[in-house]
Amino acid sequence: MSKDLQMRAAINQKLIEMGERERLKELLRAKLIECGWKDQLKAHCKDVIKEKGLEHVTVEDLVAEITPKGRGIHRSNLKILVPVLVVHHSYMVSGCVEASLLQQINYYDNIITLLQLSSFISDPH
Amino acid sequence: MKMEAMSLSGLDNTKLEALAHDIYSDLVEDACLGLCFEVHRAVKQGYFFLDETDQDSMKDFEIVDQPGVDIFGQVYNQWKNKECVCPNCSRSIAASRFAPHLEKCLGMGRNSSRIANRRIASSNNMSKSESDQEDNDDINDNDWSYGSEKKAKKRKSDKVFLRSLKQPVLLNPNSPRRSKSLKHKNGELNNNVNTDPYKYNYNSGISYETLGPEELRSLLTTQCGVISEHTKKMCTRSLRCPQHTDEQRRTVRVFLPGPSASTLPDVDAVVESDGYDVSDGQALMNRLQWDGSSDISPSDSASSKASTNNSDSKKPKKKKKPSLGLSSSGTGGTGGGTGGGPGTAGSGSSSQGVLSLPSRKKKPKLPAPPTPSIYDDMN
C-alpha cells in the first residue's frame, strides 16, 4: 500500500516538474466546460447557496457538497462507457471526459519512466 | 536495474490503469475545488446572482423552442410570400425582390446608371461587331471594346427579339421620342446614341435606314460606320477600326446625308448646331467650316461665319434624299453629303470637335476646297 502511495506521490511530483500536470489540468478543465459539467455543478451550487442563505456560505460547505457530486457526475458518465471501453488501451472513442483524460495519461510515455523511477525508489523493498 | 525491471514487469495493465485513474481523480478534484473557490468568491463579492435579476423579464426573453419560429419567436420567412405592387410598372413583385426591382424600374440608384451606360456602350459595340462577320476575328485586337463586346454578345440573343419588336418605332424618324431625345441632347457632350434605357435602341448591327438623322450622326461621330456589303449594316467599331480605311469612312459619310465628322485625325472639328433640322445648308456649312466656331456654338452665329461655298451645292442634295434625314456635320474629310432630312448636327460630333480642335487651328482653310470636289464625285 505504502508502495503504491509512494509511487503515486513520485509520479505526481514528476508530472509537476515536467509541467505536464498543468497541461493535463487545463485540458481537463476545457473538456469539463465543453461537456457542461461546470454549468451543472454551478447550478447545484446555486441550490446549495439558496438553501444555506447567501450570507453564510463557506468554502468548506461548498466543497463538501460539490466535490462528491462533481466526481459522481463523472462516474455516471463513465459507467455507461466503462463496460464498453474497458481496460483496453486502444479505445479510440473518448466521448467521456474521463476516458479521454485517462487515455491521455495512459498514453503518456513518460509514465513508464515515472514508474521506473518510482519502482526504483521503492526498490529497496 | 534488475529490480526495476522486475517491478516493472510486476506492473500489469490493471495497475497502470489504476494509477492513471488515480491521477485523473486528483485532477478532477482540483477542478472541483477551483470551481468552489470561484463560486464562493462570486457569492461574497456579490456578483453570483447578477444574471438572474428579474423573473418577469427573464420570462419575456426566454428562449423559444417551437417549430417554424426562431429562438426569438420570430417567423423566418414571414415576408417571403408577400407580394407588393410596383407603383411604377404595376407589376406584383415578391417582397424580397422589391427593392432591387424598384431601383431598376425607376432608373435610380447606382446600378441602374451603370447598366444604362453599359447598354449604350455595348449597343455601339454591337453594331460594330455585327456589321461585318469578318471582324469577329479581330475582335480580340480591339482592346477598348472587348469587354463590352463580350457582354454585348451575351445579351444579343436577348435583345434580338426586342429589337425586332422595337424596330417599327425606330423607323420613324420624326417620332416624338426622337425629338425628345434631340432636345435633351442639346449642347450635351455625348457619345451616347441613346441615353434612354428603355428605348432599346440596341441594334446588333445598325442598318442606316432605320436610324434617324440624329442617331446616324452621333453614330458616325463615334463609330466607323462603314457599311458592309454583306449585311448592309454599319460597322460599329471605333473610328480607327482596322477593317476599314478612312476612304471608306469618308464615303459613308458622304453617302449618308449629313453624317458627322470623319475619322481622319486631321479632321476638322464639327460644329454643333442645336438640333435644328431644317434649312441648314447653313448648319451644314457650319460643320464644314468651323472657323472660329466652338463646339456648342449656335448654328446661326456659325453660319454667319461660314462661307457660302457649299451652301449651294448642298441644298439640291438635301432635297434629293429627304428620307435619310441625316445632317451632315461634315468636315473636310467627309464632306457631309446631302442633308437629306433634318440636318441636325450630331451632338456627338462635339467630341470630334474637341479632338480635332488643335488641328482646327492648324488647317482652317483646308476643308473648303476639298469638299466641293467630293460632292462632285458623289454627284
Side-chain angles (χ1 to χ4, degrees):
Chain A
M1 279 302 288
S2 59
K3 184 179 167 185
D4 286 334
L5 280 172
Q6 270 189 334
M7 213 181 328
R8 267 183 78 183
I11 290 174
N12 265 331
Q13 189 188 2
K14 203 63 190 175
L15 276 174
I16 291 172
E17 278 172 19
M18 293 172 55
E20 280 305 313
R21 192 155 195 273
E22 274 302 312
R23 188 183 76 87
L24 288 169
K25 213 159 147 191
E26 291 305 314
L27 186 64
L28 178 67
R29 223 171 259 166
K31 288 212 175 275
L32 288 174
I33 290 174
E34 252 179 44
C35 75
W37 172 91
K38 194 173 176 187
D39 297 326
Q40 276 181 324
L41 221 52
K42 231 179 182 176
H44 185 63
C45 286
K46 268 185 204 162
D47 297 336
V48 171
I49 291 166
K50 279 176 189 162
E51 192 187 324
K52 300 244 163 135
L54 192 61
E55 298 299 326
H56 305 294
V57 182
T58 62
V59 182
E60 293 77 11
D61 288 339
L62 281 174
V63 169
E65 298 282 335
I66 300 291
T67 314
K69 186 118 199 288
R71 308 179 86 183
I73 286 178
H74 259 287
R75 296 258 174 255
S76 62
N77 278 348
L78 186 62
K79 272 175 194 164
I80 304 165
L81 293 167
V82 157
V84 176
L85 304 171
V86 194
V87 199
H88 215 302
H89 280 256
S90 62
Y91 50 72
M92 304 304 277
V93 181
S94 47
C96 169
V97 175
E98 178 169 345
S100 59
L101 257 291
L102 283 176
Q103 192 183 12
Q104 278 270 329
I105 297 169
N106 275 328
Y107 281 146
Y108 191 38
D109 282 343
N110 292 337
I111 208 172
I112 309 272
T113 41
L114 288 174
L115 292 173
Q116 283 175 335
L117 273 171
S118 54
S119 52
F120 183 68
I121 290 169
S122 54
D123 187 37
H125 282 263
Chain B
M1 290 299 163
K2 277 187 187 173
M3 295 300 282
E4 279 174 23
M6 274 170 54
S7 43
L8 245 188
S9 61
L11 293 167
D12 53 359
N13 268 352
T14 47
K15 278 225 167 165
L16 256 174
E17 280 279 327
L19 268 173
H21 219 283
D22 286 337
I23 296 172
Y24 170 73
S25 313
D26 280 343
L27 289 172
V28 172
E29 210 169 315
D30 274 354
C32 290
L33 214 61
L35 183 69
C36 288
F37 287 140
E38 198 183 308
V39 168
H40 183 257
R41 184 165 202 270
V43 166
K44 290 304 176 186
Q45 293 284 320
Y47 61 83
F48 188 62
F49 284 116
L50 266 184
D51 54 351
E52 321 170 335
T53 46
D54 185 13
Q55 280 303 316
D56 289 337
S57 55
M58 278 189 69
K59 272 190 189 147
D60 283 342
F61 301 117
E62 225 174 347
I63 290 178
V64 176
D65 190 14
Q66 296 167 17
V69 156
D70 67 8
I71 63 172
F72 298 115
Q74 296 165 356
V75 185
Y76 164 60
N77 50 1
Q78 191 177 11
W79 311 111
K80 234 194 207 177
N81 307 329
K82 304 229 168 153
E83 293 204 336
C84 328
V85 177
C86 171
N88 207 30
C89 58
S90 309
R91 279 168 40 188
S92 131
I93 312 280
S96 54
R97 297 301 308 161
F98 188 53
H101 162 80
L102 208 58
E103 199 184 13
K104 286 184 188 130
C105 197
L106 291 171
M108 296 191 323
R110 258 190 283 161
N111 252 349
S112 332
S113 61
R114 228 180 273 151
I115 291 173
N117 285 338
R118 209 204 302 155
R119 230 183 259 147
I120 286 159
S122 49
S123 78
N124 289 343
N125 294 333
M126 278 314 296
S127 39
K128 283 183 207 172
S129 58
E130 286 295 313
S131 64
D132 209 343
Q133 291 307 313
E134 299 157 356
D135 286 351
N136 288 341
D137 293 335
D138 290 340
I139 271 177
N140 289 339
D141 295 341
N142 194 351
D143 294 319
W144 306 110
S145 55
Y146 177 57
S148 46
E149 274 179 1
K150 232 184 181 178
K151 292 174 199 164
K153 272 183 199 158
K154 281 183 197 163
R155 295 195 285 166
K156 186 188 54 163
S157 50
D158 298 334
K159 300 288 182 171
V160 165
F161 176 64
L162 272 167
R163 188 165 44 92
S164 57
L165 289 179
K166 296 282 179 173
Q167 281 230 324
V169 177
L170 294 175
L171 272 174
N172 181 6
N174 296 324
S175 68
R177 256 186 181 173
R178 194 136 292 183
S179 50
K180 239 194 220 174
S181 57
L182 280 180
K183 281 179 201 163
H184 290 311
K185 280 181 189 170
N186 285 346
E188 246 179 84
L189 228 189
N190 58 344
N191 292 324
N192 303 333
V193 176
N194 200 350
T195 49
D196 181 358
Y198 300 114
K199 209 165 175 183
Y200 293 122
N201 181 18
Y202 181 80
N203 294 327
S204 48
I206 299 182
S207 73
Y208 53 89
E209 294 150 1
T210 64
L211 288 183
E214 157 93 4
E215 287 174 21
L216 240 189
R217 206 181 321 115
S218 42
L219 255 178
L220 284 173
T221 50
T222 55
Q223 297 167 17
C224 174
V226 173
I227 297 171
S228 151
E229 287 180 9
H230 317 281
T231 65
K232 307 290 177 201
K233 291 202 177 146
M234 298 166 60
C235 170
T236 52
R237 303 191 71 181
S238 82
L239 283 166
R240 291 164 163 265
C241 102
Q243 257 77 48
H244 305 114
T245 65
D246 287 338
E247 268 304 315
Q248 288 175 302
R249 285 186 270 267
R250 224 176 280 155
T251 313
V252 165
R253 279 157 179 79
V254 166
F255 169 63
L256 299 173
S260 49
S262 77
T263 59
L264 300 178
D266 59 344
V267 153
D268 304 326
V270 173
V271 170
E272 261 198 5
S273 61
D274 303 344
Y276 307 148
D277 341 65
V278 218
S279 50
D280 310 357
Q282 293 173 345
L284 298 179
M285 292 273 323
N286 304 335
R287 296 178 219 107
L288 287 181
Q289 291 214 353
W290 42 280
D291 279 337
S293 45
S294 63
D295 292 343
I296 312 185
S297 67
S299 56
D300 289 336
S301 60
S303 63
S304 60
K305 293 178 191 173
S307 69
T308 56
N309 286 342
N310 300 323
S311 54
D312 296 334
S313 53
K314 293 245 169 127
K315 277 172 187 172
K317 286 176 192 169
K318 250 211 238 167
K319 293 169 192 169
K320 275 184 190 175
K321 296 182 183 177
S323 59
L324 284 178
L326 278 183
S327 60
S328 62
S329 43
T331 61
T334 54
T338 58
T344 52
S347 44
S349 63
S350 60
S351 61
Q352 288 294 317
V354 173
L355 287 176
S356 44
L357 253 176
S359 59
R360 239 202 224 174
K361 291 167 189 170
K362 291 176 196 169
K363 309 169 190 176
K365 289 182 186 172
L366 265 181
T371 42
S373 61
I374 290 179
Y375 291 150
D376 295 338
D377 293 335
M378 286 308 296
N379 285 337

